[in-house]
Amino acid sequence: MITICICDDEPALCHALRDMLDQYMPSGELSIIEYHSVSELLNSTASYDVLFLDIRFNTEDAGVDAAKRLRRRGNEAVIIFLTSLSQYATNGYEAEAFRYLMKPIQINMLTETMDAVISKIEAKHYRFSVVSDSGAVIIEAADISHIESLARRRIINMRGQKIETWETMAELYAKLPKGRFVYIQKGYVSNLDFIGQVKSNEVTLKNGDQIALGRSYKDGFFVAFNRYVRNER
């Protein structure tokens, strides 16, 4: 079951978006919450997986500010901004928006967006096992920042911990969700969500680590990174 929240001050748009989402998802697999103001959204204690949020309410860009406040509260929903003015769309990425949709919403664009959303949600909950010295360990793929080779061992760097394994990099890479991880060099694989900056010959992770981009991995890296940026995962 996926819970979707719609927050827009146009009831007609909310109704149309509901209809399109009902067409996209089979009956019983979708729950929809609807709000018509930013205050309703911010005062709500409901939990949801996806948020369709209008950028502009009346004459103010209240949607972007609301999204930033939600992020500061720890809200991890996939945010999709709705706007009728393309110049406002880029503002949404300041609040870690996943995508934006132009009004009036077209069914083909919504379908493409939802396909990407489902893929992201599935990757977030993706788990796999790794054999360490202490035995088999279940790992949440979304918690991995990067994997690196050190001597003959692989170090899986995660939030708050590191796991060492004798499994090869190729074996580990095959277990990872497609389109979410990329080789930076032979002994280094990074979660694309943890990449902060990219230069022609260097990648900087959000934790500040700088890794040289291997010459033979450069083309594959930029293909994967550009798809990630365009949300084609």
Side-chain angles (χ1 to χ4, degrees):
M1 171 73 74
I2 293 179
T3 301
I4 293 179
C5 179
I6 302 172
C7 184
D8 194 291
D9 56 0
E10 300 178 49
L13 181 138
C14 293
H15 181 76
L17 182 52
R18 272 180 174 271
D19 286 345
M20 285 187 279
L21 288 169
D22 284 337
Q23 292 178 45
Y24 178 83
M25 294 288 288
S27 176
E29 295 187 15
L30 180 67
S31 175
I32 298 178
I33 306 168
E34 187 175 319
Y35 302 116
H36 296 137
S37 70
V38 165
S39 60
E40 283 185 297
L41 175 67
L42 293 176
N43 290 329
S44 171
T45 58
S47 60
Y48 42 84
D49 304 296
V50 185
L51 171 61
F52 286 91
L53 177 59
D54 193 9
I55 287 183
R56 200 158 178 80
F57 288 78
N58 296 321
T59 60
E60 299 180 354
D61 297 347
V64 175
D65 290 336
K68 291 178 181 178
R69 290 177 64 179
L70 290 172
R71 290 300 191 217
R72 287 196 292 270
R73 294 178 184 178
N75 188 306
E76 297 183 350
V78 178
I79 297 178
I80 300 158
F81 278 106
L82 308 174
T83 181
S84 56
L85 300 170
S86 59
Q87 63 264 37
Y88 290 115
T90 55
N91 297 341
Y93 293 109
E94 298 173 12
E96 301 177 36
F98 181 66
R99 279 195 181 186
Y100 68 90
L101 285 175
M102 296 295 296
K103 299 179 182 179
I105 300 171
Q106 304 297 319
I107 185 65
N108 62 317
M109 295 305 297
L110 178 66
T111 297
E112 180 183 313
T113 297
M114 286 302 299
D115 285 346
V117 166
I118 298 301
S119 176
K120 182 178 178 66
I121 290 174
E122 289 177 346
K124 181 179 179 180
H125 299 289
Y126 186 92
R127 299 178 179 87
F128 63 97
S129 64
V130 168
V131 178
S132 69
D133 291 340
S134 59
V137 180
I138 304 299
I139 294 177
E140 296 267 0
D143 289 338
I144 300 172
S145 62
H146 62 282
I147 304 172
E148 56 188 326
S149 289
L150 185 61
R152 296 176 59 192
R153 299 172 73 88
R154 255 51 58 197
I155 313 299
I156 303 172
N157 293 269
M158 304 168 64
R159 292 187 177 98
Q161 71 174 128
K162 294 183 179 182
I163 295 175
E164 295 188 17
T165 178
W166 290 101
E167 294 187 40
T168 68
M169 189 67 84
E171 289 171 337
L172 292 174
Y173 189 75
K175 296 180 180 182
L176 297 170
K178 306 300 181 185
R180 306 300 302 180
F181 290 80
V182 63
Y183 272 96
I184 296 178
Q185 53 183 246
K186 183 179 180 180
Y188 204 105
V189 168
S190 176
N191 185 334
L192 285 159
D193 285 338
F194 284 80
I195 291 178
Q197 185 179 32
V198 174
K199 297 181 180 179
S200 59
N201 296 305
E202 184 182 78
V203 176
T204 303
L205 301 187
K206 290 180 180 178
N207 66 2
D209 289 354
Q210 296 177 321
I211 304 95
L213 185 54
R215 182 179 301 178
S216 62
Y217 293 88
K218 186 177 294 187
D219 289 345
F221 172 84
F222 280 109
V223 168
F225 182 74
N226 288 331
R227 284 178 177 168
Y228 171 83
V229 170
R230 295 195 303 268
N231 299 312
E232 293 179 1
R233 49 202 190 272

